[in-house]
Amino acid sequence: KQLEKEAEEDEEIYDKMACWCTTNDREKTKSIADAEARIEDLTNKIEELTAQSARLNTEIKNHEKEVAENQASLDKATAIREKQLAEFNAEEKDLLESI
């Protein structure tokens, strides 16, 4: 009698353990698949953002070069205008003195 009772208890425990193992295995397998899909998505995003970063760095360098060229042109134009202003002021002064 005692042996049968222990066998029943063991069988119940085995059934619970088997159910837990099956459920746990299913959940873990799904979690692993979800994590692997997330890793693939993030890897793709990293590659996409790395390419975008390289493109933007190139654009920044081009804009910096353009700004430097524009600044040089502005400096040159400013120098010309200052020279013209000085010449105008000198000529104006001469004309006013001659009057």
Side-chain angles (χ1 to χ4, degrees):
K1 190 91 174 171
Q2 177 69 23
L3 194 57
E4 290 175 7
K5 182 178 179 186
E6 287 178 6
E8 281 182 28
E9 289 174 356
D10 286 348
E11 192 171 332
E12 285 179 28
I13 291 172
Y14 175 81
D15 289 344
K16 287 180 183 176
M17 184 64 79
C19 179
W20 179 84
C21 286
T22 302
T23 303
N24 192 41
D25 181 55
R26 195 177 316 123
E27 289 173 357
K28 295 298 179 195
T29 301
K30 184 182 182 320
S31 293
I32 289 169
D34 291 347
E36 287 174 346
R38 178 118 170 96
I39 288 169
E40 187 176 336
D41 289 345
L42 291 174
T43 300
N44 290 337
K45 189 68 171 174
I46 288 169
E47 290 172 0
E48 177 187 324
L49 292 175
T50 301
Q52 184 178 10
S53 174
R55 180 181 57 81
L56 292 174
N57 282 332
T58 301
E59 285 183 23
I60 287 171
K61 287 178 184 172
N62 290 339
H63 289 307
E64 286 173 345
K65 181 180 175 186
E66 189 177 323
V67 166
E69 290 170 354
N70 289 341
Q71 185 63 48
S73 295
L74 178 62
D75 292 344
K76 184 177 177 183
T78 301
I80 291 170
R81 293 298 297 147
E82 287 174 350
K83 181 182 174 193
Q84 289 174 342
L85 178 62
E87 290 171 357
F88 172 79
N89 287 338
E91 189 176 327
E92 182 184 37
K93 182 180 179 187
D94 287 344
L95 290 174
L96 288 175
E97 287 177 358
S98 68
I99 295 180

